[in-house]
Amino acid sequence: VQAGRAGGFGLVIGVDRANQREELARYADVVVKDLAEVKVGKNNQSSEKTTDDLPCALDRFNDVTCRLKNRQPAVFLDYDGTLTPIVDHPEDAVITEEMRQTVQDLADYCTVAIVSGRDRRDVEQLAGVKRIHYAGSHGFDIADPEGRTMENRQGEAFLPALDQAEKALHERLDPMEGAQVERKKFAIAVHFRRVPESQHAEVEQAVDEVLAQNKNLRKTGGKMIHELRPDIDWDKGRALRWLLEKLNLNRRDVVPIYIGSSSTMTAPSLPS
């Protein structure tokens, strides 16, 4: 917050996570307990920008082609809902042979990576595509085409908290019809697609109660899931940026392309 003020940022927002409101207020324009309190709009009218507000890439394919002229693409793909449809049971998200071959053919032309919230070994087995990179657990666990692995070691410290939260979630949600608790190495997903709509709030309440007992975790969302993950500054977007740097693809002659639908994707700073 001090750096933002010193750097002349137009709006500095302090997030009070450690009862430091007074200290933060010395430098921040606004102090909040959670970023969910921040509303962005015009003329003080709250509005939310969604992907529906963005142009369709297929309708603007000529623009994409122009950007790729004399440049090299690097393609990053989500798995669930992108290479496979969304299904009631996560273990049933099986890629078709046609889609697998399409991704395999693409890998013959450029760098390809699958970036998923699933465990890396899980998505590797389900996808079954060779000669590509896999980034699992929202990028905490990454493997290159030769099988060499790289883990973000920050996540290791949160494993005891995740173990405790997993046990508590099973106790609360296993009796509920349709609820499914899916443990990943660095995250816990609570699926409620098959839960009656009248009980959706009850599922979220259970997740919030477990979260309140585990201050080192944070809640994110997805398509009919709540997810608890380590409360650190890391997500698929940062994993993508990390991959670009590690693979020496953070260059002006490379056009990174991300295809997916994810609320855990923070847009990385990419060369224009």
Side-chain angles (χ1 to χ4, degrees), residues 192-240:
F192 59 95
R193 180 176 298 276
R194 294 177 291 118
V195 175
E197 188 173 353
S198 60
Q199 292 181 286
H200 285 184
E202 189 176 341
V203 174
E204 185 166 17
Q205 181 180 351
V207 173
D208 289 341
E209 288 173 355
V210 172
L211 179 64
Q213 298 170 7
N214 294 272
K215 299 297 186 182
N216 291 328
L217 304 179
R218 63 186 171 105
K219 183 178 76 172
T220 59
K223 294 178 179 177
M224 303 298 283
I225 69 168
H226 300 297
E227 194 166 58
L228 297 184
R229 298 196 284 129
D231 189 16
I232 56 177
D233 198 19
W234 188 259
D235 54 31
K236 291 179 187 175
R238 288 170 177 80
L240 190 155

Side-chain angles (χ1 to χ4, degrees), residues 61-74 253-257:
F61 201 74
N62 285 338
D63 293 344
V64 176
T65 302
C66 289
R67 284 179 176 268
L68 285 169
K69 188 176 182 179
N70 299 322
R71 299 170 79 181
Q72 171 188 350
D253 64 334
V254 174
V255 179
I257 300 173

Side-chain angles (χ1 to χ4, degrees), residues 232-268:
I232 56 177
D233 198 19
W234 188 259
D235 54 31
K236 291 179 187 175
R238 288 170 177 80
L240 190 155
R241 180 169 55 191
W242 187 87
L243 273 171
L244 288 172
E245 294 172 353
K246 287 291 183 181
L247 301 177
N248 193 31
L249 295 173
N250 196 18
R251 313 189 309 264
R252 291 190 178 277
D253 64 334
V254 174
V255 179
I257 300 173
Y258 174 78
I259 302 175
S261 176
S262 176
S263 62
T264 60
M265 167 61 79
T266 299

Side-chain angles (χ1 to χ4, degrees), residues 1-224:
V1 172
Q2 286 177 313
R5 173 59 64 212
F9 282 32
L11 177 65
V12 179
I13 300 174
V15 183
D16 181 20
R17 293 195 178 97
N19 296 319
Q20 294 177 300
R21 177 173 290 272
E22 291 185 6
E23 292 91 335
L24 289 168
R26 292 172 57 192
Y27 303 97
D29 298 295
V30 180
V31 178
V32 297
K33 291 294 292 184
D34 189 285
L35 283 175
E37 300 174 37
V38 179
K39 301 296 182 183
V40 180
K42 297 180 179 180
N43 301 323
N44 297 321
Q45 297 295 316
S46 176
S47 65
E48 294 184 359
K49 190 176 183 64
T50 69
T51 53
D52 292 336
D53 300 315
L54 301 174
C56 174
L58 295 179
D59 293 341
R60 304 274 298 270
F61 201 74
N62 285 338
D63 293 344
V64 176
T65 302
C66 289
R67 284 179 176 268
L68 285 169
K69 188 176 182 179
N70 299 322
R71 299 170 79 181
Q72 171 188 350
V75 181
F76 300 85
L77 304 166
D78 204 342
Y79 185 77
D80 293 272
T82 300
L83 298 181
T84 70
I86 294 295
V87 293
D88 289 341
H89 299 271
E91 61 272 18
D92 293 337
V94 179
I95 191 172
T96 64
E97 282 301 324
E98 181 182 10
M99 179 63 78
R100 179 180 289 114
Q101 189 60 52
T102 298
V103 178
Q104 194 72 76
D105 292 343
L106 182 62
D108 292 335
Y109 291 95
C110 65
T111 298
V112 175
I114 293 179
V115 186
S116 174
R118 291 175 176 265
D119 281 339
R120 175 179 58 81
R121 292 185 183 278
D122 180 28
V123 74
E124 279 182 337
Q125 183 175 3
L126 285 170
V129 182
K130 308 297 183 183
R131 304 190 307 279
I132 68 171
H133 295 77
Y134 286 94
S137 297
H138 300 284
F140 277 104
D141 185 3
I142 300 171
D144 68 13
E146 285 72 44
R148 293 172 296 200
T149 60
M150 303 155 276
E151 284 192 351
N152 184 331
R153 294 296 179 184
Q154 295 181 73
E156 298 285 349
F158 295 86
L159 292 178
L162 287 165
D163 291 340
Q164 179 181 340
E166 179 189 12
K167 180 180 178 181
L169 286 169
H170 275 297
E171 290 174 353
R172 286 169 168 78
L173 295 175
D174 282 356
M176 184 178 296
E177 179 185 357
Q180 182 177 358
V181 178
E182 180 194 9
R183 175 62 191 272
K184 309 167 187 180
K185 182 173 182 180
F186 294 108
I188 307 167
V190 175
H191 302 265
F192 59 95
R193 180 176 298 276
R194 294 177 291 118
V195 175
E197 188 173 353
S198 60
Q199 292 181 286
H200 285 184
E202 189 176 341
V203 174
E204 185 166 17
Q205 181 180 351
V207 173
D208 289 341
E209 288 173 355
V210 172
L211 179 64
Q213 298 170 7
N214 294 272
K215 299 297 186 182
N216 291 328
L217 304 179
R218 63 186 171 105
K219 183 178 76 172
T220 59
K223 294 178 179 177
M224 303 298 283

